[in-house]
């Protein structure tokens, strides 16, 4: 049957004069298309999307796409030479039968001021190693053609907050992990774990926050791109890692300031020296060291020797007892377990944050104007001892409830 | 729109060239390396000007570029840190203890120094946070070697006028104050200008001064999330509040050009010159506050003045990248008659 068709369509005459039949793969495809009609035809083999792809658009800029078995993934668009930064997206794939797929790209937060989303409709090529079609940007004002080309494969797993393992195929390639700061500059460095080199497969890497010292310093957010190069083809899988610069705060503790009425310590604030004791200050019954009361007014809260908490009400000017000290979000602050954050970084309430060498599950339920960017202020309870000698470390971090600017530990 | 797109291309693809075009060749750099102060001038190699091994940070050039202030570690039983001013040869011109404590005295106030700012040729503001909300400011006169002013800000930081004579800050809202009890008030030189318990606004950014030092503005939001601008002059007895000409967006940045206040926001460019995958193309929309009227005038983007503060910050950021600086608190730059003069002479752990 095929021969009959080919004979009619593409006869060739040999030197002997006999007709020969040349069956070309495209003819097979054409036959199938003819028989089944198009669109919606089945290809000779079933194409799949999961894997590493490289795309190239008509504008000559493109990038790398990683598609997971569940048809989600990431896309890095290489605009650094144009914008000074790349654009990073999550992707969601929907199959169109077996002939192609649709892509929805959504930019990762902090990807860049000019990075936006887009949708694509792509059709598999005959060998399943390409997919071509068109894109439309989500502002509705940019469209063009795009072609994806299948690459080598790389998969990542986060073995701990500071360790990443990459596995790639085929073997005999090399790994690298270029980084690109997205926000801030005190971001993590990436190095091969002990016993690993750029050819070790699976490949283990360590993430290390920069050293700190002195006054607290903001961390940052960076993009790390796991790359695997084999025979000239490169597979990539980008993921974001935040670091937070820590500091420590507490509430005033009565016992830090001596014993009233005659053994009170002194303190100086606003050029005024506070010494001695005061009785029934600001509506609070009892006699207290003046240095303690001025610190309650400064901080807004304190803890008495009895263990009770007190709060300074600016409206009335009174100091009143309260059952607990609450953060900005209205929930009780946990000594050693609550942090104040910048709401532009962690806007949601109830978010738990893991910070290497500081703690896991730190509840971000407080905030303040002095905490800007990738900074966390750890509430550590009452009194000077709570924060004495705190080293203000910078730590590799993750938000257990991923935020746009504070990703989780699961690799994107 | 084409102009906007071209601006992006020029600014980013040619960043190094633009940095050189925006500053004079007489740029001076001060940095901390291995706990010592180094300066670099023009094409000369960096030279060390201190040699005591004490931990140092926040180096910052004076306004005339002749002196450097920085903080140095101190005996914690004596002071929080030492404020030091040296000349370009490293000669110590002034040394002052910051937050000195007497024997037996309990230290209160700032936990550490987070910023230094030259207010004039003789005055320096030293600031540091007390807790997540409150920052203490201590102004020193390095000639008389005295602390001349202290105050606390409960907002997003105080702002000093370009000549250093005036200061704006927010007070009345200590950190642990419940939301319904806050009485945040905006002060100009310790005079209340706006706020208190009756207004129910949050100051959501640091105040900004006009370049002529006569006016200031600060962004606020109310409980519904609606943004407004509060502004006043140094001659005002009270500040006025003006709603934004658009809703639902944080207008940062807003900026001053001469004595006028401008707002900008990005709107979708309906006709991008060259569509590119995943590249959102916007065009700026600019509004000018009409002084004394409380209303805004939309102006043609082509007529909008340049945000020199943003330009200067970008130049400083590019200089940090050129020097491979990861920690900006240990670097500062000065040049005469260049865009960096638009910025306060300030070194900070967070900028």
């Amino acid at each position: 049957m095929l021969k009959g068709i080919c004979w009619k369509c593409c006869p060739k005459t040999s030197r002997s004069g006999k007709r020969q039949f040349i069956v070309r793969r495209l003819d097979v495809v054409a036959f199938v298309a003819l028989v089944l009609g198009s669109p919606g035809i089945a290809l000779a083999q079933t194409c799949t999307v999961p894997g590493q792809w490289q795309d190239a658009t008509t504008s000559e800029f493109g990038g790398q796409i990683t598609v997971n078995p569940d048809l989600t993934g990431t896309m890095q668009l290489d605009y650094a030479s144009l914008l000074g930064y790349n654009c990073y997206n999550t992707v969601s794939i929907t199959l169109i039968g077996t002939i192609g797929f649709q892509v929805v790209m959504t930019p990762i937060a902090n990807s860049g001021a000019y990075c936006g989303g887009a949708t694509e409709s792509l059709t598999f090529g005959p060998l399943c190693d390409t997919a071509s079609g068109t894109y439309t940007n989500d502002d509705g004002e940019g469209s063009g053609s795009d072609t994806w080309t299948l690459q080598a494969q790389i998969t990542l797993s986060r073995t701990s907050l500071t360790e990443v393992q990459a596995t790639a195929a085929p073997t005999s390639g090399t790994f690298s992990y270029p980084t690109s700061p997205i926000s801030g500059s005190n971001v993590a460095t990436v190095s091969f774990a002990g016993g690993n080199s750029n050819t070790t497969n699976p490949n283990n890497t360590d993430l290390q926050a920069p050293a700190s010292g002195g006054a607290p310093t903001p961390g940052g957010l960076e993009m790390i791109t796991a790359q695997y190069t084999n025979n000239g083809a490169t597979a990539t899988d980008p993921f974001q890692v935040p670091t937070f610069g820590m500091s420590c705060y507490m509430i005033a503790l009565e016992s830090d300031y001596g014993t009233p009425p005659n053994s009170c310590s002194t303190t100086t604030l606003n050029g005024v020296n506070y010494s001695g004791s005061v009785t029934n200050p600001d509506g609070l019954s009892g006699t207290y060291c003046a240095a303690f009361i001025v610190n309650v007014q400064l901080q807004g809260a304190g803890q008495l020797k009895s263990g009770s908490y007190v709060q300074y009400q600016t409206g009335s000017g009174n100091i009143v007892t309260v059952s607990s000290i609450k953060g900005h979000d209205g929930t009780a602050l946990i000594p050693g377990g609550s942090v104040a954050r910048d709401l532009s970084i962690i806007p949601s309430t109830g978010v738990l944050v893991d910070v290497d060498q500081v703690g896991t599950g730190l509840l971000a339920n407080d905030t303040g104007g002095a905490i800007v960017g990738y900074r966390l202020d750890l509430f550590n309870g009452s009194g000077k001892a709570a924060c004495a000698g705190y080293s203000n470390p910078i730590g590799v971090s993750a938000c257990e409830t991923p935020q746009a600017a504070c990703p989780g530990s699961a690799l994107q | 729109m084409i102009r906007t797109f071209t601006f992006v291309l020029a600014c980013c693809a040619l960043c190094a060239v633009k940095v050189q075009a925006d500053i004079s060749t007489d740029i001076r750099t001060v940095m901390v390396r291995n706990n010592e102060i180094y300066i670099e001038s023009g094409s000369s190699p960096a030279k060390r000007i201190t040699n005591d091994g004490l931990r140092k940070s926040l180096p910052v050039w004076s306004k005339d570029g002749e002196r450097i202030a920085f903080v140095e570690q101190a005996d914690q039983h004596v002071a929080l840190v030492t404020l030091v001013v040296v000349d370009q040869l490293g000669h110590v011109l002034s040394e002052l203890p910051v937050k000195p404590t007497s024997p037996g005295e309990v230290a209160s106030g700032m936990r550490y120094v987070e910023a230094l700012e030259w207010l004039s040729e003789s005055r320096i503001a030293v600031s540091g946070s007390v807790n997540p909300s409150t920052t203490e400011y201590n102004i020193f006169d390095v000639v008389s070697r005295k602390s001349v002013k202290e105050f606390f800000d409960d907002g997003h930081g105080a702002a000093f006028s370009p000549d250093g004579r005036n200061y704006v800050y927010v007070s009345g809202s200590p950190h642990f104050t419940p939301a319904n009890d806050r009485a945040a008030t905006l002060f100009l030189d310790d005079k209340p200008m706006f706020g208190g318990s009756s207004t129910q606004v949050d100051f959501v950014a640091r105040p900004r001064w006009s370049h002529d030092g006569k006016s200031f503005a600060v962004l606020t939001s109310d409980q519904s999330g609606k943004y407004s601008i509060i502004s006043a002059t140094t001659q005002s007895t009270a500040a006025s509040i003006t709603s934004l000409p658009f809703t639902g967006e944080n207008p940062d940045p807003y900026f001053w050009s001469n004595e006028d206040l401008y707002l900008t926001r990005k709107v979708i460019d309906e006709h991008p010159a060259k569509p590119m995958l995943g590249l959102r193309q916007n065009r700026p929309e600019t509004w000018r506050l009409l002084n004394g009227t409380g209303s805004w005038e939309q102006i043609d983007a082509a007529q909008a003045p340049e945000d020199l503060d943003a330009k200067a910050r970008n130049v400083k950021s590019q200089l940090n990248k050129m020097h491979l600086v990861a920690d900006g608190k240990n670097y500062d730059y000065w040049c005469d008659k260049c865009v960096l003069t638009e910025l306060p002479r300030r070194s900070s752990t967070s900028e």
Side-chain angles (χ1 to χ4, degrees), chain A residues 8 14 20 78 82 89 100 112 128 134 142 155 158 160 164 196 202 241 248 282 308 311 330 345 367 392:
Chain A
K8 288 179 180 177
S14 70
Q20 294 179 325
D78 300 332
L82 172 67
N89 298 269
C128 296
T134 58
T155 55
R158 191 85 170 261
S160 75
V164 174
N196 282 245
V241 174
C248 177
D282 298 334
S308 299
Q311 207 157 47
I345 303 297
T367 191
N392 303 323

Side-chain angles (χ1 to χ4, degrees), chain A residues 259-286:
Chain A
T259 305
N262 300 315
S263 298
C264 288
S265 301
T266 64
T267 197
T268 302
L269 271 176
N270 254 342
V272 177
N273 184 265
Y274 295 86
S275 60
S277 61
V278 289
T279 302
N280 300 332
D282 298 334
L284 183 65
S285 296

Side-chain angles (χ1 to χ4, degrees), chain B residues 9 45 52 54 148 160 206 298 300:
Chain B
L9 285 171
D52 58 13
L54 296 173
V148 296
F160 297 91
R206 185 197 300 265
Q298 186 172 2
D300 190 307

Side-chain angles (χ1 to χ4, degrees), chain A residues 252-255 284 288 292 302-310 321:
Chain A
L253 181 63
E254 185 184 4
S255 57
L284 183 65
Y288 303 91
F292 168 64
Q303 187 175 28
L304 305 179
K305 289 181 183 177
S306 65
S308 299
Y309 293 110
V310 292
T321 55

Side-chain angles (χ1 to χ4, degrees), chain A residues 138-158:
Chain A
D138 64 0
D139 61 6
E141 298 301 334
S143 61
S145 62
D146 193 14
T147 298
W148 288 23
T149 305
L150 191 62
Q151 306 289 293
Q153 300 211 15
I154 184 172
T155 55
L156 299 180
S157 63
R158 191 85 170 261

Side-chain angles (χ1 to χ4, degrees), chain A residues 158-200:
Chain A
R158 191 85 170 261
T159 51
S160 75
L161 200 56
T162 57
E163 297 170 327
V164 174
Q165 184 177 82
T167 305
T171 57
S172 76
T174 57
F175 291 88
S176 62
Y177 302 89
T179 62
S180 175
I182 298 172
S183 179
S185 52
N186 288 304
V187 293
T189 57
V190 186
S191 60
F192 294 113
N196 282 245
S197 70
N198 64 345
T199 57
T200 309

Side-chain angles (χ1 to χ4, degrees), chain B residues 18-38:
Chain B
K18 275 193 66 65
V19 167
Q20 291 300 322
D22 287 332
I23 61 174
S24 69
T25 55
D26 187 25
I27 186 167
R28 300 175 193 173
T29 303
V30 62
M31 67 201 88
V32 176
R33 283 185 194 169
N34 300 321
N35 290 329
E36 301 298 351
I37 301 292
Y38 286 74

